[in-house]
Amino acid sequence: MNFRPMVSKFILGPTSPFCLAIFPTTNHFCHFPRLAFSSHVALCSRTDTDSLPYGPSLIKGNLPPSGWQQEQEHRYFHCKGKEEEEEDGDSVIDKEAFTRVFDIAAVRVPSQYCFVLESRIRGHLLNWPRIRNIARVPGDEVEEEVVPLLGESHSGSEDEEASKLTSLQRRIYGKAETDGEELSPVLYRERLATEFNAKGFVKFRNLAKISRPKKKKMKQKEGGRGDGDGEGRHGSNEFAVVEVVEEGNGDEWKGLLGDEFKGRKRWMGSTRLLLLDERYADKTLEELPQAVKAALEEAMSENLAHSFELVRCKLTLFYDYWLMNEILEALLPKDMIIPSAFETVGHIAHLNLKDEHLPYKKVIAKVILDKNKPKIQTVVNKIDAIHSDYRTMQLEVLAGNRSLVTMVVENGLKFHVDLATVYWNSRLATERQRLLRGFTHKDVVCDVFSGVGPLAVSAARIVRRVYANDLNPYAVDYLDRNSVLNKLEKRIKVFNMDGRRFIDAMFTSEKAQSITQVVMNLPKDAAEYLDAFRGVFHDTSLREDYTFPTIHVYGFSKAKDPEFDFHERIRMALGEVGVNVEMRRVRLVAPGKWMLCASFVLPASVAFAATDTQL
């Protein structure tokens, strides 16, 4: 029986177990990446080597050799991203250049003791973000009832282990391979497990029960999302690989624990790796901190049948491991501000890039797309200010699919939106929620500039009736769809007309005395429409218990005192000297430019005022 040493390999992910991968020796890399233009955006070197930060970083570690990249990265990046590149066109980022290999040390321990030891020495473990401190050896899962048959450990003698294997096969199958007759095909269990390999273990050809994968794992593999088996790495959660490159010889424990621990037999059951801190990558067992040695000494003293090993490993981090800001920092010029903030509208990331970012817009968009999948499928940038009466924006698709039709969920409601033809602002969701909290079931709401209905549809769940209007026919069409989609069409009446005409039509009809709330969310021009309220009740006799509606109007201001500036514009539009207004700053939309909301009860003097046409 041939007992050849075998390298143990793992894939680390946030929730997935470790999978097989292969790593040869790597080349040292210590340069900081910067942007370079070719057919791809690659990483370039920087000459300064300042003090390296603690933890994972793109300016640390080693680069794998080109031969390894061609073979292994082709499996990961080409197979995983082939469809993406076909959709996005030519790739603009050399993802392979972000692969980094780090030398670390690990302690191989029996699996049943890994969590106990981890809690004891947690402060001395790797503790890197998104990297587990415990690595699982693939194929080294032995069921508890089988361990007594194998024996708790083996001495490493080839003849003795061959004899054990023959004896075990005869106990399970009634015959062994050495009996001169092939085992029955039934015993292969449909060849689901042809071999069961692990470092220092014997080779079992027919123990299908041991190596048969769990049902859940089998389903993951069938769907292309399970753990790798050495043939490739698949799945969005796999972004790092651990490889054992140097085994311990067992003699090092003699100096720590005494002669009785020298040559201790290797444990035959399942094992795990406890990844030690990067500071101990080149340390021997005696050079480890006293706390680590004390915990290992205690564990080995309590479990004489189990062995521990200090092994050398290589931890490889791929492009998927690094955060969006880390990738952009490496690709963009040194002194450029990293554009990390964007608005999310359904599956669309909406950027508002500055002029300095425009030469790198494709790179920025690709990184944002990669780091926010599958939630984000399209990245767009606003290329011009809003000038249209329909409040539509000129958008450029930078990455992903070119569809601007999406679905947004807000306040538990669904809204269909087409950013090419209608306006949507997710950043106003909090403000809309604030307004909704002030509505009651007795209210009747008049939304003058409703858009696709984020406020109107949400309010329909609370109030008695909603009258929603917008000038944009596309927005009105989506408003109708969204009210039906959320089964609120019976409470919403939709109009498609100019804001002034809508106000005049509503307050000169029999609906006027039922309206209690008016919302005018058109910050650029809404204050100018307030003059439509002058004289709305001039020729109307109101009932005694009538309460004038509360108006919520929005506007922008760049003045030093934005509240005073906006209040003056409201007063001038209403033609009223004294208007009691409750002012609130909604958000800062640009440096020195505030969006404000003014709420006030329509003054009776304005509602009954005589207009020029009435004089």
Side-chain angles (χ1 to χ4, degrees):
M1 189 70 62
N2 185 16
F3 293 89
R4 293 178 298 175
M6 170 185 167
V7 178
S8 301
K9 295 141 288 241
F10 320 87
I11 289 278
L12 293 103
T15 57
S16 59
F18 308 104
C19 310
L20 190 65
I22 305 173
F23 284 86
T25 310
T26 58
N27 297 326
H28 184 67
F29 177 85
C30 63
H31 298 298
F32 189 83
R34 280 295 165 206
L35 186 66
F37 287 94
S38 61
S39 59
H40 297 274
V41 173
L43 296 181
C44 303
S45 62
R46 195 181 73 169
T47 55
D48 62 302
T49 54
D50 301 332
S51 58
L52 299 179
Y54 181 79
S57 173
L58 283 168
I59 64 176
K60 295 170 56 178
N62 308 320
L63 275 177
S66 58
W68 178 88
Q69 285 184 322
Q70 292 177 357
E71 179 181 357
Q72 301 300 326
E73 295 290 349
H74 173 80
R75 294 178 178 176
Y76 180 61
F77 295 119
H78 177 74
C79 296
K80 180 182 177 183
K82 184 176 180 181
E83 298 80 0
E84 300 172 3
E85 292 185 6
E86 288 176 354
E87 295 177 358
D88 301 340
D90 293 334
S91 176
V92 295
I93 298 177
D94 182 7
K95 296 183 179 180
E96 299 177 5
F98 289 92
T99 302
R100 294 293 180 272
V101 183
F102 299 88
D103 295 322
I104 60 173
V107 179
R108 191 195 298 275
V109 300
S111 59
Q112 57 265 46
Y113 302 110
C114 65
F115 294 106
V116 176
L117 283 174
E118 183 196 23
S119 62
R120 293 181 181 177
I121 62 173
R122 187 181 299 275
H124 299 280
L125 296 180
L126 194 61
N127 296 320
W128 280 5
R130 303 176 300 284
I131 297 297
R132 292 176 176 174
N133 289 329
I134 299 177
R136 183 170 60 121
V137 180
D140 187 18
E141 292 299 319
V142 182
E143 296 185 8
E144 295 182 2
E145 59 269 22
V146 180
V147 174
L149 301 177
L150 301 176
E152 290 191 342
S153 59
H154 68 77
S155 61
S157 170
E158 191 168 318
D159 293 339
E160 182 180 344
E161 297 306 325
S163 175
K164 278 188 177 181
L165 175 60
T166 300
S167 174
L168 179 61
Q169 288 177 340
R170 285 175 177 160
R171 291 178 63 183
I172 296 179
Y173 305 114
K175 57 184 176 180
E177 291 179 336
T178 55
D179 292 342
E181 184 179 352
E182 288 292 331
L183 295 178
S184 170
V186 178
L187 300 177
Y188 283 96
R189 300 285 183 89
E190 299 175 355
R191 294 188 175 275
L192 287 177
T194 57
E195 61 181 28
F196 177 66
N197 293 330
K199 175 73 178 175
F201 288 12
V202 244
K203 180 180 179 182
F204 298 95
R205 291 184 53 211
N206 305 303
L207 297 185
K209 183 179 180 182
I210 294 180
S211 53
R212 184 192 297 274
K214 304 286 186 183
K215 290 184 178 181
K216 183 177 180 181
K217 295 179 182 178
M218 290 178 65
K219 291 180 180 179
Q220 289 177 342
K221 290 183 179 181
E222 291 172 1
R225 297 168 53 103
D227 302 327
D229 58 356
E231 296 301 321
R233 298 183 299 277
H234 306 284
S236 59
N237 291 332
E238 300 164 359
F239 46 68
V241 173
V242 172
E243 172 201 8
V244 178
V245 294
E246 181 182 343
E247 300 287 349
N249 55 21
D251 291 341
E252 55 192 355
W253 297 100
K254 176 182 176 181
L256 177 64
L257 305 176
D259 292 337
E260 65 271 20
F261 293 97
K262 179 179 179 181
R264 175 178 286 196
K265 297 179 181 180
R266 184 168 292 163
W267 170 241
M268 293 290 290
S270 303
T271 61
R272 300 288 186 271
L273 291 180
L274 292 179
L275 306 182
L276 296 178
D277 190 273
E278 58 179 315
R279 297 171 295 178
Y280 312 137
D282 55 352
K283 303 293 184 182
T284 63
L285 185 63
E286 295 181 353
E287 294 173 329
L288 292 179
Q290 186 62 34
V292 177
K293 293 189 290 185
L296 295 176
E297 179 180 0
E298 179 182 359
M300 291 189 68
S301 300
E302 294 175 354
N303 306 278
L304 298 178
H306 301 155
S307 62
F308 298 70
E309 293 179 87
L310 181 65
V311 296
R312 306 297 172 187
C313 305
K314 289 189 179 296
L315 171 62
T316 303
L317 305 180
F318 297 105
Y319 171 83
D320 285 347
Y321 172 80
W322 307 106
L323 298 177
M324 181 178 69
N325 286 357
E326 294 174 315
I327 298 293
L328 290 176
E329 183 181 355
L331 292 173
L332 299 181
K334 181 178 180 181
D335 298 327
M336 181 176 290
I337 298 176
I338 304 301
S340 58
F342 56 87
E343 179 184 354
T344 302
V345 183
H347 72 272
I348 301 171
H350 179 197
L351 305 179
N352 193 5
L353 296 177
K354 299 180 180 179
D355 292 339
E356 63 175 345
H357 296 138
L358 294 181
Y360 313 97
K361 60 184 179 181
K362 293 287 186 180
V363 176
I364 295 171
K366 188 66 171 68
V367 174
I368 291 175
L369 184 67
D370 289 340
K371 296 302 176 181
N372 293 276
K373 282 189 174 181
K375 181 180 180 180
I376 298 299
Q377 301 177 23
T378 304
V379 181
V380 300
N381 179 47
K382 185 173 74 172
I383 58 178
D384 197 5
I386 300 175
H387 298 299
S388 169
D389 291 338
Y390 293 165
R391 297 191 291 172
T392 55
M393 293 177 287
Q394 296 295 319
L395 301 175
E396 178 187 8
V397 179
L398 301 179
N401 67 62
R402 309 194 68 82
S403 174
L404 296 182
V405 179
T406 185
M407 177 181 286
V408 184
V409 178
E410 183 175 300
N411 295 327
L413 300 173
K414 298 178 180 179
F415 298 90
H416 287 297
V417 178
D418 181 3
L419 291 185
T421 59
V422 302
Y423 176 82
W424 179 277
N425 193 336
S426 297
R427 293 173 179 172
L428 295 179
T430 303
E431 176 62 18
R432 289 190 283 263
Q433 187 64 35
R434 184 189 69 86
L435 279 181
L436 292 172
R437 286 197 296 267
F439 296 163
T440 67
H441 69 282
K442 296 181 179 180
D443 281 324
V444 175
V445 177
C446 185
D447 193 351
V448 183
F449 311 105
S450 63
V452 299
L455 178 69
V457 177
S458 299
R461 294 194 303 180
I462 303 171
V463 302
R464 281 195 299 134
R465 188 73 170 167
V466 175
Y467 300 107
N469 170 74
D470 202 274
L471 180 63
N472 185 350
Y474 298 103
V476 171
D477 180 51
Y478 276 101
L479 175 56
D480 278 326
R481 295 188 195 181
N482 294 330
S483 60
V484 174
L485 177 64
N486 294 284
K487 301 179 180 180
L488 294 168
E489 66 275 12
K490 294 183 179 180
R491 292 190 176 187
I492 303 176
K493 178 67 174 177
V494 180
F495 299 86
N496 179 205
M497 59 180 70
D498 175 74
R500 282 190 178 86
R501 282 187 57 205
F502 176 67
I503 293 173
D504 183 69
M506 295 302 299
F507 283 91
T508 56
S509 67
E510 68 280 1
K511 306 179 182 68
Q513 298 191 37
S514 65
I515 297 174
T516 59
Q517 305 281 348
V518 179
V519 181
M520 303 176 67
N521 191 352
L522 185 64
K524 183 180 178 183
D525 304 312
E528 300 176 6
Y529 286 82
L530 290 174
D531 59 358
F533 288 98
R534 285 192 61 82
V536 290
F537 295 142
H538 181 75
D539 298 326
T540 304
S541 58
L542 300 180
R543 62 179 187 269
E544 295 181 359
D545 61 342
Y546 177 73
T547 302
F548 287 95
T550 300
I551 300 175
H552 310 274
V553 59
Y554 290 82
F556 294 131
S557 178
K558 294 183 178 180
K560 292 184 178 179
D561 188 348
E563 288 84 0
F564 177 79
D565 173 64
F566 193 35
H567 187 277
E568 284 297 298
R569 286 154 52 194
I570 293 173
R571 186 182 63 80
M572 293 175 62
L574 292 173
E576 180 70 16
V577 176
V579 182
N580 187 17
V581 177
E582 178 185 345
M583 199 74 65
R584 181 179 181 275
R585 295 188 182 188
V586 177
R587 69 187 190 95
L588 188 66
V589 297
K593 183 179 180 179
W594 280 96
M595 178 180 178
L596 302 104
C597 176
S599 300
F600 59 93
V601 177
L602 179 64
S605 58
V606 174
F608 290 104
T611 62
D612 294 338
T613 59
Q614 295 168 340
L615 293 176

